[in-house]
Protein backbone atom coordinates (compact mmCIF):
# COMPACT_ATOMS: atom_id res chain seq x y z
CA UNK A 1 0.00 0.00 0.00
CA UNK A 2 1.19 3.46 -0.85
CA UNK A 3 1.31 5.92 2.04
CA UNK A 4 -0.80 8.97 1.23
CA UNK A 5 -1.50 12.15 3.06
CA UNK A 6 -5.15 11.96 4.07
CA UNK A 7 -5.49 15.23 5.96
CA UNK A 8 -4.26 18.49 4.51
CA UNK A 9 -2.73 21.60 5.98
CA UNK A 10 -4.49 24.87 5.27
CA UNK A 11 -1.53 25.96 3.11
CA UNK A 12 -1.87 22.95 0.83
CA UNK A 13 -5.44 23.75 -0.24
CA UNK A 14 -6.44 25.76 -3.29
CA UNK A 15 -8.61 28.57 -2.02
CA UNK A 16 -9.54 29.89 -5.46
CA UNK A 17 -11.13 26.56 -6.40
CA UNK A 18 -14.53 27.38 -4.92
CA UNK A 19 -14.87 30.64 -6.82
CA UNK A 20 -13.71 28.98 -10.03
CA UNK A 21 -16.35 26.26 -9.78
CA UNK A 22 -19.04 28.73 -8.73
CA UNK A 23 -18.43 30.85 -11.77
CA UNK A 24 -18.13 28.00 -14.22
CA UNK A 25 -21.23 26.18 -13.07
CA UNK A 26 -23.34 29.28 -12.42
CA UNK A 27 -23.78 28.06 -8.83
CA UNK A 28 -23.45 30.77 -6.22
CA UNK A 29 -25.55 28.54 -3.96
CA UNK A 30 -22.70 26.11 -3.33
CA UNK A 31 -21.62 28.16 -0.29
CA UNK A 32 -25.00 27.46 1.27
CA UNK A 33 -24.39 23.70 1.59
CA UNK A 34 -25.39 22.49 5.06
CA UNK A 35 -23.91 19.01 4.58
CA UNK A 36 -27.29 17.33 5.11
CA UNK A 37 -26.45 14.47 2.76
CA UNK A 38 -29.74 14.52 0.81
CA UNK A 39 -27.67 14.43 -2.38
CA UNK A 40 -25.73 11.32 -1.39
CA UNK A 41 -28.83 9.47 -0.24
CA UNK A 42 -30.66 10.34 -3.48
CA UNK A 43 -27.81 9.22 -5.72
CA UNK A 44 -28.30 5.89 -7.53
CA UNK A 45 -24.57 5.70 -8.20
CA UNK A 46 -23.29 6.57 -4.74
CA UNK A 47 -22.36 2.99 -3.89
CA UNK A 48 -19.68 3.08 -6.60
CA UNK A 49 -18.19 6.51 -5.84
CA UNK A 50 -14.87 7.20 -4.15
CA UNK A 51 -16.34 10.36 -2.57
CA UNK A 52 -20.12 10.72 -2.25
CA UNK A 53 -21.63 13.93 -3.65
CA UNK A 54 -21.95 15.52 -0.18
CA UNK A 55 -18.21 15.13 0.35
CA UNK A 56 -17.40 16.45 -3.12
CA UNK A 57 -19.34 19.63 -2.35
CA UNK A 58 -17.50 20.02 0.97
CA UNK A 59 -14.17 19.41 -0.75
CA UNK A 60 -14.93 21.99 -3.44
CA UNK A 61 -15.87 24.48 -0.76
CA UNK A 62 -12.60 23.97 1.10
CA UNK A 63 -10.23 23.82 -1.84
CA UNK A 64 -9.37 20.13 -2.25
CA UNK A 65 -8.86 20.72 -5.97
CA UNK A 66 -6.53 17.81 -6.74
CA UNK A 67 -8.63 15.20 -4.99
CA UNK A 68 -11.86 16.44 -6.54
CA UNK A 69 -10.57 16.58 -10.10
CA UNK A 70 -8.94 13.16 -9.87
CA UNK A 71 -12.02 11.60 -8.33
CA UNK A 72 -14.20 9.07 -10.16
CA UNK A 73 -17.32 10.65 -8.69
CA UNK A 74 -18.09 13.20 -11.44
CA UNK A 75 -17.62 10.45 -14.05
CA UNK A 76 -19.97 8.14 -12.20
CA UNK A 77 -22.64 10.81 -12.10
CA UNK A 78 -25.32 9.51 -14.46
CA UNK A 79 -26.79 13.00 -14.75
CA UNK A 80 -30.15 11.91 -13.31
CA UNK A 81 -30.62 15.18 -11.38
CA UNK A 82 -32.12 13.48 -8.30
CA UNK A 83 -29.74 15.35 -6.00
CA UNK A 84 -30.31 18.65 -7.75
CA UNK A 85 -34.11 18.70 -7.48
CA UNK A 86 -34.02 17.56 -3.84
CA UNK A 87 -31.23 19.80 -2.49
CA UNK A 88 -32.77 22.00 0.24
CA UNK A 89 -30.19 24.70 -0.52
CA UNK A 90 -30.95 24.66 -4.29
CA UNK A 91 -27.39 23.74 -5.17
CA UNK A 92 -27.10 22.68 -8.80
CA UNK A 93 -25.14 19.57 -7.93
CA UNK A 94 -25.51 17.83 -11.30
CA UNK A 95 -24.40 20.95 -13.13
CA UNK A 96 -21.39 21.16 -10.80
CA UNK A 97 -20.51 17.54 -11.67
CA UNK A 98 -20.52 18.55 -15.37
CA UNK A 99 -18.18 21.45 -14.61
CA UNK A 100 -15.87 19.13 -12.67
CA UNK A 101 -15.73 16.72 -15.62
CA UNK A 102 -14.75 19.53 -17.99
CA UNK A 103 -12.19 20.91 -15.55
CA UNK A 104 -10.66 17.47 -15.08
CA UNK A 105 -10.33 17.02 -18.85
CA UNK A 106 -8.80 20.47 -19.18
CA UNK A 107 -6.31 19.78 -16.38
CA UNK A 108 -5.64 16.33 -17.93
CA UNK A 109 -6.08 14.61 -14.56
CA UNK A 110 -9.28 12.66 -15.29
CA UNK A 111 -9.16 8.84 -15.01
CA UNK A 112 -8.11 8.22 -18.64
CA UNK A 113 -8.47 4.43 -18.47
CA UNK A 114 -12.05 4.72 -17.32
CA UNK A 115 -14.54 4.12 -20.19
CA UNK A 116 -16.89 7.02 -19.39
CA UNK A 117 -14.61 9.98 -20.13
CA UNK A 118 -13.37 8.08 -23.19
CA UNK A 119 -16.93 7.64 -24.44
CA UNK A 120 -17.77 11.30 -23.83
CA UNK A 121 -14.73 12.51 -25.76
CA UNK A 122 -15.19 10.10 -28.66
CA UNK A 123 -18.85 11.07 -28.95
CA UNK A 124 -17.91 14.74 -28.94
CA UNK A 125 -15.40 14.12 -31.74
CA UNK A 126 -17.84 12.13 -33.85
CA UNK A 127 -20.63 14.71 -33.54
CA UNK A 128 -18.30 17.64 -34.20
CA UNK A 129 -17.20 15.88 -37.41
CA UNK A 130 -20.42 14.38 -38.76
CA UNK A 131 -23.18 16.23 -36.94
CA UNK A 132 -24.65 12.93 -35.83
CA UNK A 133 -23.77 10.17 -33.44
CA UNK A 134 -23.48 6.59 -34.68
CA UNK A 135 -23.98 4.15 -31.82
CA UNK A 136 -21.75 1.39 -33.12
CA UNK A 137 -18.87 3.66 -34.13
CA UNK A 138 -18.78 5.60 -30.92
CA UNK A 139 -18.35 2.34 -29.01
CA UNK A 140 -15.67 1.10 -31.43
CA UNK A 141 -13.79 4.40 -31.10
CA UNK A 142 -14.07 4.25 -27.31
CA UNK A 143 -12.39 0.84 -27.14
CA UNK A 144 -9.69 1.98 -29.57
CA UNK A 145 -9.03 4.97 -27.35
CA UNK A 146 -8.83 2.75 -24.28
CA UNK A 147 -6.56 0.32 -26.18
CA UNK A 148 -8.78 -2.44 -24.87
CA UNK A 149 -9.16 -5.14 -27.55
CA UNK A 150 -11.10 -7.42 -25.19
CA UNK A 151 -13.68 -4.81 -24.21
CA UNK A 152 -15.92 -5.48 -27.21
CA UNK A 153 -16.08 -9.19 -26.29
CA UNK A 154 -18.27 -8.30 -23.34
CA UNK A 155 -20.68 -6.73 -25.76
CA UNK A 156 -21.03 -9.74 -28.07
CA UNK A 157 -24.48 -10.69 -26.81
CA UNK A 158 -25.62 -7.07 -27.08
CA UNK A 159 -24.43 -6.91 -30.68
CA UNK A 160 -26.03 -10.22 -31.61
CA UNK A 161 -29.35 -9.29 -30.04
CA UNK A 162 -29.40 -5.96 -31.83
CA UNK A 163 -28.48 -7.62 -35.12
CA UNK A 164 -31.23 -10.23 -34.77
CA UNK A 165 -33.84 -7.52 -34.25
CA UNK A 166 -32.51 -5.24 -37.00
CA UNK A 167 -31.39 -2.56 -34.57
CA UNK A 168 -27.66 -2.51 -35.31
CA UNK A 169 -26.70 0.08 -37.86
CA UNK A 170 -23.27 -0.02 -39.49
CA UNK A 171 -23.78 3.28 -41.24
CA UNK A 172 -21.89 6.41 -40.25
CA UNK A 173 -24.67 8.97 -39.96
CA UNK A 174 -23.93 12.44 -41.32
CA UNK A 175 -25.82 15.68 -41.72
CA UNK A 176 -25.85 17.44 -45.10
CA UNK A 177 -24.69 20.87 -44.01
CA UNK A 178 -21.53 19.81 -42.20
CA UNK A 179 -19.78 22.92 -43.47
CA UNK A 180 -22.15 25.09 -41.44
CA UNK A 181 -21.66 22.96 -38.33
CA UNK A 182 -17.86 23.09 -38.62
CA UNK A 183 -17.97 26.87 -39.10
CA UNK A 184 -20.20 27.19 -36.05
CA UNK A 185 -17.97 25.09 -33.81
CA UNK A 186 -14.89 26.98 -35.00
CA UNK A 187 -16.55 30.32 -34.23
CA UNK A 188 -17.62 29.11 -30.79
CA UNK A 189 -14.18 27.79 -29.88
CA UNK A 190 -12.54 31.06 -30.93
CA UNK A 191 -12.74 33.41 -28.01
CA UNK A 192 -14.41 30.82 -25.81
CA UNK A 193 -12.70 29.87 -22.62
CA UNK B 1 -51.35 27.06 -31.09
CA UNK B 2 -48.03 26.49 -32.80
CA UNK B 3 -47.41 23.31 -34.71
CA UNK B 4 -44.68 20.83 -33.87
CA UNK B 5 -41.72 19.66 -35.85
CA UNK B 6 -40.48 16.15 -35.13
CA UNK B 7 -36.91 15.83 -33.88
CA UNK B 8 -36.05 12.09 -33.85
CA UNK B 9 -32.50 12.16 -32.51
CA UNK B 10 -29.87 9.55 -33.33
CA UNK B 11 -31.28 6.63 -31.34
CA UNK B 12 -34.65 6.59 -33.07
CA UNK B 13 -32.81 6.01 -36.34
CA UNK B 14 -30.75 3.09 -34.97
CA UNK B 15 -31.26 0.91 -31.89
CA UNK B 16 -34.66 2.41 -31.06
CA UNK B 17 -36.17 2.24 -34.54
CA UNK B 18 -39.29 0.75 -33.00
CA UNK B 19 -39.92 3.96 -31.07
CA UNK B 20 -40.15 5.89 -34.33
CA UNK B 21 -41.94 3.02 -36.08
CA UNK B 22 -44.73 3.19 -33.48
CA UNK B 23 -44.79 6.91 -32.68
CA UNK B 24 -45.32 8.11 -36.25
CA UNK B 25 -48.38 5.91 -36.97
CA UNK B 26 -49.85 6.81 -33.56
CA UNK B 27 -49.67 10.54 -34.26
CA UNK B 28 -51.09 9.93 -37.74
CA UNK B 29 -53.97 7.96 -36.27
CA UNK B 30 -54.63 10.78 -33.82
CA UNK B 31 -54.92 13.15 -36.77
CA UNK B 32 -51.67 14.98 -35.98
CA UNK B 33 -49.12 13.61 -38.49
CA UNK B 34 -45.51 14.54 -37.69
CA UNK B 35 -43.05 16.06 -40.10
CA UNK B 36 -39.34 15.47 -39.50
CA UNK B 37 -36.95 18.40 -39.10
CA UNK B 38 -34.77 18.88 -42.16
CA UNK B 39 -31.02 18.17 -41.63
CA UNK B 40 -31.18 18.13 -37.81
CA UNK B 41 -27.96 17.40 -35.94
CA UNK B 42 -27.36 15.28 -32.85
CA UNK B 43 -28.25 17.02 -29.56
CA UNK B 44 -24.91 15.93 -28.04
CA UNK B 45 -26.61 14.19 -25.11
CA UNK B 46 -24.88 14.14 -21.73
CA UNK B 47 -21.53 13.41 -23.39
CA UNK B 48 -21.05 16.70 -25.18
CA UNK B 49 -21.83 18.77 -22.09
CA UNK B 50 -19.21 16.74 -20.22
CA UNK B 51 -16.52 17.85 -22.65
CA UNK B 52 -17.33 21.30 -24.10
CA UNK B 53 -20.19 23.35 -22.71
CA UNK B 54 -20.28 26.19 -25.24
CA UNK B 55 -20.11 23.88 -28.24
CA UNK B 56 -22.77 21.64 -26.72
CA UNK B 57 -25.16 24.57 -26.39
CA UNK B 58 -24.28 25.79 -29.88
CA UNK B 59 -25.13 22.55 -31.68
CA UNK B 60 -28.51 22.52 -29.91
CA UNK B 61 -28.87 26.14 -30.97
CA UNK B 62 -28.60 25.02 -34.59
CA UNK B 63 -31.59 22.68 -34.12
CA UNK B 64 -33.56 25.35 -32.29
CA UNK B 65 -32.92 27.78 -35.11
CA UNK B 66 -34.05 25.23 -37.72
CA UNK B 67 -37.34 24.88 -35.84
CA UNK B 68 -37.68 28.64 -35.49
CA UNK B 69 -37.20 29.11 -39.23
CA UNK B 70 -39.99 26.59 -39.82
CA UNK B 71 -42.16 28.52 -37.35
CA UNK B 72 -42.67 25.43 -35.20
CA UNK B 73 -41.98 24.05 -31.72
CA UNK B 74 -39.88 20.92 -31.25
CA UNK B 75 -41.36 17.55 -30.38
CA UNK B 76 -38.55 15.32 -29.06
CA UNK B 77 -39.51 11.75 -28.10
CA UNK B 78 -36.06 10.88 -26.72
CA UNK B 79 -35.84 12.07 -23.12
CA UNK B 80 -32.13 12.72 -23.57
CA UNK B 81 -32.67 15.00 -26.58
CA UNK B 82 -35.61 16.62 -24.82
CA UNK B 83 -33.57 17.60 -21.76
CA UNK B 84 -30.39 18.55 -23.62
CA UNK B 85 -32.23 20.90 -25.95
CA UNK B 86 -34.37 22.29 -23.15
CA UNK B 87 -31.27 22.96 -21.07
CA UNK B 88 -29.54 24.65 -24.03
CA UNK B 89 -32.68 26.67 -24.75
CA UNK B 90 -32.65 27.95 -21.16
CA UNK B 91 -28.96 28.75 -21.33
CA UNK B 92 -29.23 30.55 -24.68
CA UNK B 93 -32.07 32.71 -23.36
CA UNK B 94 -30.19 33.60 -20.16
CA UNK B 95 -28.54 36.86 -21.28
CA UNK B 96 -25.28 35.52 -19.90
CA UNK B 97 -22.30 36.84 -21.87
CA UNK B 98 -21.35 33.30 -22.90
CA UNK B 99 -24.87 32.72 -24.24
CA UNK B 100 -24.84 36.01 -26.14
CA UNK B 101 -21.56 35.07 -27.78
CA UNK B 102 -22.99 31.72 -28.91
CA UNK B 103 -26.09 33.45 -30.32
CA UNK B 104 -23.76 35.76 -32.26
CA UNK B 105 -21.82 32.78 -33.60
CA UNK B 106 -25.06 31.11 -34.62
CA UNK B 107 -26.07 34.23 -36.50
CA UNK B 108 -22.73 34.40 -38.35
CA UNK B 109 -23.26 30.94 -39.81
CA UNK B 110 -26.85 31.60 -40.82
CA UNK B 111 -28.54 30.01 -37.80
CA UNK B 112 -29.94 33.06 -36.08
CA UNK B 113 -32.00 32.12 -33.02
CA UNK B 114 -34.36 34.55 -31.32
CA UNK B 115 -35.46 32.20 -28.57
CA UNK B 116 -39.08 31.56 -29.59
CA UNK B 117 -39.04 27.77 -29.72
CA UNK B 118 -40.44 25.47 -27.04
CA UNK B 119 -39.11 21.94 -26.59
CA UNK B 120 -41.84 19.41 -25.82
CA UNK B 121 -42.03 15.68 -25.21
CA UNK B 122 -44.86 13.62 -26.75
CA UNK B 123 -46.04 12.71 -23.23
CA UNK B 124 -46.43 16.37 -22.38
CA UNK B 125 -48.22 17.04 -25.66
CA UNK B 126 -50.58 14.08 -25.35
CA UNK B 127 -51.63 14.77 -21.77
CA UNK B 128 -51.53 18.57 -21.75
CA UNK B 129 -52.63 19.56 -25.23
CA UNK B 130 -54.24 16.66 -27.05
CA UNK B 131 -56.01 15.42 -23.96
CA UNK B 132 -56.78 12.10 -22.30
CA UNK B 133 -60.49 12.26 -23.18
CA UNK B 134 -59.70 12.45 -26.87
CA UNK B 135 -57.30 9.53 -26.51
CA UNK B 136 -60.04 7.53 -24.78
CA UNK B 137 -62.43 8.26 -27.65
CA UNK B 138 -59.92 6.98 -30.20
CA UNK B 139 -59.32 3.64 -28.47
CA UNK B 140 -60.47 0.73 -30.67
CA UNK B 141 -59.18 -2.11 -28.62
CA UNK B 142 -58.87 -1.76 -24.86
CA UNK B 143 -55.77 -3.27 -23.30
CA UNK B 144 -57.86 -4.95 -20.61
CA UNK B 145 -56.03 -7.25 -18.19
CA UNK B 146 -52.62 -5.88 -19.02
CA UNK B 147 -50.65 -4.68 -15.99
CA UNK B 148 -48.27 -1.98 -17.06
CA UNK B 149 -45.41 -0.43 -15.11
CA UNK B 150 -44.77 3.08 -16.46
CA UNK B 151 -41.10 3.92 -16.25
CA UNK B 152 -40.20 7.59 -16.63
CA UNK B 153 -36.47 7.51 -15.96
CA UNK B 154 -34.74 10.74 -15.08
CA UNK B 155 -34.25 13.20 -17.93
CA UNK B 156 -37.92 13.79 -18.68
CA UNK B 157 -38.96 14.99 -15.23
CA UNK B 158 -35.72 16.46 -13.90
CA UNK B 159 -34.55 19.12 -13.42
CA UNK B 160 -37.28 20.83 -15.46
CA UNK B 161 -40.55 19.80 -13.91
CA UNK B 162 -42.84 21.61 -16.30
CA UNK B 163 -45.58 19.05 -16.60
CA UNK B 164 -45.09 16.32 -14.04
CA UNK B 165 -43.62 15.51 -10.64
CA UNK B 166 -39.83 14.95 -10.41
CA UNK B 167 -40.14 11.94 -8.07
CA UNK B 168 -43.58 10.50 -8.64
CA UNK B 169 -44.85 11.42 -12.09
CA UNK B 170 -48.27 10.21 -13.29
CA UNK B 171 -48.85 11.32 -16.90
CA UNK B 172 -47.74 8.05 -18.48
CA UNK B 173 -49.88 6.09 -16.01
CA UNK B 174 -52.83 8.21 -17.05
CA UNK B 175 -52.26 7.40 -20.71
CA UNK B 176 -52.02 3.67 -19.93
CA UNK B 177 -55.26 3.92 -18.00
CA UNK B 178 -56.92 5.71 -20.93
CA UNK B 179 -55.88 2.76 -23.13
CA UNK B 180 -57.67 0.40 -20.79
CA UNK B 181 -54.53 -1.07 -19.23
CA UNK B 182 -53.97 -1.32 -15.50
CA UNK B 183 -51.13 0.92 -14.25
CA UNK B 184 -48.91 -0.65 -11.59
CA UNK B 185 -47.97 1.48 -8.60
CA UNK B 186 -44.29 1.29 -7.70
CA UNK B 187 -41.81 3.65 -6.14
CA UNK B 188 -38.88 3.36 -8.58
CA UNK B 189 -40.60 5.13 -11.50
CA UNK B 190 -37.86 7.74 -11.83
CA UNK B 191 -34.92 5.82 -10.42
CA UNK B 192 -32.12 6.09 -12.95
CA UNK B 193 -31.32 3.16 -15.30
CA UNK B 194 -27.69 4.29 -15.44
CA UNK B 195 -27.91 6.07 -18.78
CA UNK B 196 -24.74 5.71 -20.83
CA UNK B 197 -22.97 4.28 -17.77
CA UNK B 198 -24.98 1.08 -17.99
CA UNK B 199 -23.33 0.21 -21.30
CA UNK B 200 -19.83 1.29 -20.38
CA UNK B 201 -19.54 -0.05 -16.83
CA UNK B 202 -21.48 -3.27 -17.06
CA UNK B 203 -21.65 -4.15 -13.36
CA UNK B 204 -23.34 -0.81 -12.68
CA UNK B 205 -25.87 -1.37 -15.45
CA UNK B 206 -26.73 -4.84 -14.18
CA UNK B 207 -27.29 -3.69 -10.61
CA UNK B 208 -29.41 -0.63 -11.39
CA UNK B 209 -31.60 -2.41 -13.90
CA UNK B 210 -32.03 -5.45 -11.69
CA UNK B 211 -33.57 -3.19 -9.03
CA UNK B 212 -36.05 -1.82 -11.56
CA UNK B 213 -36.98 -5.20 -13.05
CA UNK B 214 -37.32 -6.78 -9.62
CA UNK B 215 -39.48 -3.97 -8.27
CA UNK B 216 -41.91 -3.99 -11.21
CA UNK B 217 -42.09 -7.79 -11.24
CA UNK B 218 -42.87 -7.82 -7.52
CA UNK B 219 -45.74 -5.42 -8.11
CA UNK B 220 -47.20 -7.75 -10.72
CA UNK B 221 -46.36 -5.93 -13.95
CA UNK B 222 -46.64 -7.83 -17.26
CA UNK B 223 -44.65 -5.24 -19.15
CA UNK B 224 -42.64 -2.04 -18.58
CA UNK B 225 -43.33 0.89 -20.88
CA UNK B 226 -40.69 3.57 -21.44
CA UNK B 227 -40.51 7.02 -22.98
CA UNK B 228 -36.73 7.08 -23.51
CA UNK B 229 -34.51 5.06 -25.88
CA UNK B 230 -31.70 4.63 -23.37
CA UNK B 231 -34.06 3.39 -20.64
CA UNK B 232 -35.63 0.92 -23.05
CA UNK B 233 -32.20 -0.29 -24.14
CA UNK B 234 -30.72 -0.62 -20.66
CA UNK B 235 -33.73 -2.41 -19.20
CA UNK B 236 -33.93 -4.87 -22.06
CA UNK B 237 -30.46 -5.63 -23.31
CA UNK B 238 -28.85 -7.38 -20.37
CA UNK B 239 -31.76 -9.34 -18.92
CA UNK B 240 -30.03 -12.69 -19.55
CA UNK B 241 -26.95 -11.50 -17.66
CA UNK B 242 -29.08 -10.06 -14.84
CA UNK B 243 -31.06 -13.28 -14.43
CA UNK B 244 -27.83 -15.29 -14.32
CA UNK B 245 -26.04 -12.98 -11.91
CA UNK B 246 -28.86 -12.57 -9.39
CA UNK B 247 -30.38 -16.02 -9.94
CA UNK B 248 -33.77 -14.41 -10.18
CA UNK B 249 -36.14 -14.72 -13.13
CA UNK B 250 -37.03 -11.08 -13.67
CA UNK B 251 -37.63 -11.41 -17.42
CA UNK B 252 -39.95 -8.67 -18.55
CA UNK B 253 -40.83 -7.18 -21.95
CA UNK B 254 -39.72 -3.55 -22.29
CA UNK B 255 -41.79 -1.60 -24.79
CA UNK B 256 -42.24 1.99 -25.87
CA UNK B 257 -45.47 3.58 -24.69
CA UNK B 258 -46.24 4.35 -28.32
CA UNK B 259 -46.26 0.64 -29.20
CA UNK B 260 -49.03 -0.10 -26.71
CA UNK B 261 -50.80 3.06 -27.69
CA UNK B 262 -50.77 2.08 -31.35
CA UNK B 263 -52.17 -1.33 -30.46
CA UNK B 264 -55.05 0.25 -28.53
CA UNK B 265 -55.76 2.68 -31.37
CA UNK B 266 -56.30 -0.30 -33.66
CA UNK B 267 -53.09 -0.06 -35.71
CA UNK B 268 -52.05 -3.59 -36.87
CA UNK B 269 -49.42 -4.94 -34.50
CA UNK B 270 -47.13 -5.77 -37.43
CA UNK B 271 -46.77 -2.02 -38.04
CA UNK B 272 -45.64 -1.09 -34.53
CA UNK B 273 -42.16 -2.58 -34.34
CA UNK B 274 -43.01 -5.37 -31.88
CA UNK B 275 -40.71 -7.73 -33.81
CA UNK B 276 -37.76 -5.69 -32.56
CA UNK B 277 -38.31 -6.83 -28.99
CA UNK B 278 -35.45 -8.99 -27.72
CA UNK B 279 -37.66 -10.38 -24.95
CA UNK B 280 -40.36 -12.83 -26.12
CA UNK B 281 -43.80 -11.18 -26.07
CA UNK B 282 -45.87 -14.38 -26.13
CA UNK B 283 -47.08 -14.14 -22.50
CA UNK B 284 -48.21 -10.57 -23.14
CA UNK B 285 -50.16 -11.49 -26.28
CA UNK B 286 -51.84 -14.35 -24.45
CA UNK B 287 -52.92 -12.03 -21.68
CA UNK B 288 -54.27 -9.53 -24.19
CA UNK B 289 -56.25 -12.02 -26.31
CA UNK B 290 -57.99 -13.31 -23.19
CA UNK B 291 -59.47 -9.98 -22.39
CA UNK B 292 -58.72 -7.58 -25.20
CA UNK B 293 -62.24 -7.08 -26.63
CA UNK B 294 -63.84 -3.67 -26.31
Amino acid sequence: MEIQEKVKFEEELDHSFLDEIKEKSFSEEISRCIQCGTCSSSCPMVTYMDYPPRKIIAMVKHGFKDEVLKSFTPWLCASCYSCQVRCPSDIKITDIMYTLKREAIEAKVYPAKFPIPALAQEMHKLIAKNGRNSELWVVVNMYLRLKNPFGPLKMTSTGLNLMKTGRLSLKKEKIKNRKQLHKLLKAVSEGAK
Amino acid sequence: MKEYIYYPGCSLKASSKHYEESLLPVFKELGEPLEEMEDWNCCGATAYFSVKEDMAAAICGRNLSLAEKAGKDILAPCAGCYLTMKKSNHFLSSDHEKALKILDDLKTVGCEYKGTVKVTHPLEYLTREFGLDKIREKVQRKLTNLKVASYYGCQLVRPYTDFDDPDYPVTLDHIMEALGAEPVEYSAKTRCCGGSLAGTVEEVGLALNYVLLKETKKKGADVIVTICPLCQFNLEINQDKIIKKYKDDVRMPILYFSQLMGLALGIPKEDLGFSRSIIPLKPMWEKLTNGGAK
Side-chain angles (χ1 to χ4, degrees), chain A residues 68-110:
Chain A
V68 169
L69 293 187
K70 283 179 188 158
S71 162
F72 281 83
T73 297
W75 297 104
L76 282 165
C77 167
S79 182
C80 84
Y81 290 93
S82 266
C83 52
Q84 185 157 326
V85 297
R86 290 178 183 173
C87 175
S89 298
D90 296 327
I91 300 169
K92 300 185 195 81
I93 304 161
T94 313
D95 293 339
I96 293 167
M97 292 296 175
Y98 274 108
T99 305
L100 295 176
K101 290 181 214 185
R102 291 192 294 267
E103 291 300 297
I105 290 180
E106 186 119 317
K108 298 195 173 66
V109 294
Y110 67 94

Side-chain angles (χ1 to χ4, degrees), chain B residues 151-179:
Chain B
Y151 178 61
Y152 299 77
C154 43
Q155 312 283 284
L156 182 73
V157 285
R158 293 191 296 260
Y160 303 107
T161 53
D162 294 354
F163 72 99
D164 215 333
D165 188 84
D167 279 319
Y168 203 78
V170 290
T171 41
L172 185 53
D173 295 82
H174 289 166
I175 290 187
M176 288 303 131
E177 210 164 31
L179 305 180

Side-chain angles (χ1 to χ4, degrees), chain B residues 61-76:
Chain B
R62 183 177 175 271
N63 290 327
L64 289 163
S65 109
L66 288 171
E68 194 169 68
K69 271 192 198 113
K72 293 179 179 173
D73 284 332
I74 290 178
L75 194 80

Side-chain angles (χ1 to χ4, degrees), chain B residues 213-275:
Chain B
L213 292 168
K214 170 104 189 160
E215 181 68 15
T216 46
K217 191 111 200 167
K218 209 167 81 189
K219 297 289 163 74
D222 299 312
V223 50
I224 298 179
V225 285
T226 59
I227 49 86
C228 168
L230 207 48
C231 300
Q232 196 280 335
F233 186 86
N234 285 340
L235 279 164
E236 183 182 43
I237 200 77
N238 283 326
Q239 285 193 18
D240 279 342
K241 285 184 186 168
I242 291 174
I243 291 167
K244 209 171 142 197
K245 182 174 175 188
Y246 296 95
K247 298 183 183 62
D248 191 0
D249 186 14
V250 287
R251 194 173 305 282
M252 171 88 70
I254 316 293
L255 299 174
Y256 288 107
F257 81 98
S258 43
Q259 291 180 289
L260 284 189
M261 205 168 163
L263 204 62
L265 295 176
I267 300 167
K269 71 177 187 191
E270 292 71 30
D271 300 340
L272 293 165
F274 283 108
S275 63

Side-chain angles (χ1 to χ4, degrees), chain A residues 171-185:
Chain A
K171 209 172 118 197
K172 274 194 181 163
E173 300 287 337
K174 285 175 185 167
I175 61 167
K176 283 188 222 125
N177 204 344
R178 293 191 292 283
K179 230 169 142 183
Q180 183 183 52
L181 182 81
H182 296 158
K183 255 170 82 182
L184 174 65
L185 292 177

Side-chain angles (χ1 to χ4, degrees), chain A residues 24 26 44-45 48 75-82 84-86 95 98 101-102 105-106 114-116 119-121 123-124 127-128 131-133 135 142-143 154-155 157-158 161-162 165-169 173-178 180-181 183-185 187-193, chain B residues 10-11 14-15 17-18 38-42 44-55 58-59 62 83 87 91 96 98 101-102 105-106 109-111 154-155 158-159 166-167 191-192 194 196-197 199-204 207-208 232-233 236-238 241 275-278:
Chain A
K24 287 183 174 156
F26 311 105
M45 302 300 301
Y48 300 94
W75 297 104
L76 282 165
C77 167
S79 182
C80 84
Y81 290 93
S82 266
Q84 185 157 326
V85 297
R86 290 178 183 173
D95 293 339
Y98 274 108
K101 290 181 214 185
R102 291 192 294 267
I105 290 180
E106 186 119 317
F114 199 41
I116 300 157
L119 182 79
Q121 290 178 88
M123 194 162 157
H124 151 70
I127 299 166
R132 297 244 172 114
N133 180 32
E135 291 163 349
M142 176 187 83
Y143 283 120
K154 266 191 155 180
M155 299 191 81
S157 67
T158 300
N161 274 327
L162 290 179
T165 49
R167 289 157 63 184
L168 188 76
S169 166
E173 300 287 337
K174 285 175 185 167
I175 61 167
K176 283 188 222 125
N177 204 344
R178 293 191 292 283
Q180 183 183 52
L181 182 81
K183 255 170 82 182
L184 174 65
L185 292 177
V188 172
S189 64
E190 281 165 7
K193 272 200 283 181
Chain B
C10 303
S11 297
S15 61
K17 277 180 185 154
H18 42 327
E38 183 80 29
D39 209 32
W40 54 271
N41 57 262
C42 169
T46 53
Y48 219 123
F49 268 97
S50 308
V51 184
K52 296 274 181 199
E53 184 176 44
D54 295 352
M55 289 187 180
I59 60 167
R62 183 177 175 271
L83 174 60
K87 188 164 142 181
F91 178 58
H96 190 278
K98 272 184 168 180
K101 154 112 179 33
I102 296 168
D105 296 335
L106 281 163
V109 299
C111 297
C154 43
Q155 312 283 284
R158 293 191 296 260
D167 279 319
R191 207 189 132 90
C192 182
S196 58
L197 266 91
T200 39
V201 191
E202 198 183 84
E203 52 272 37
V204 171
L208 292 185
Q232 196 280 335
F233 186 86
E236 183 182 43
I237 200 77
N238 283 326
K241 285 184 186 168
S275 63
R276 302 209 188 271
S277 174
I278 292 166

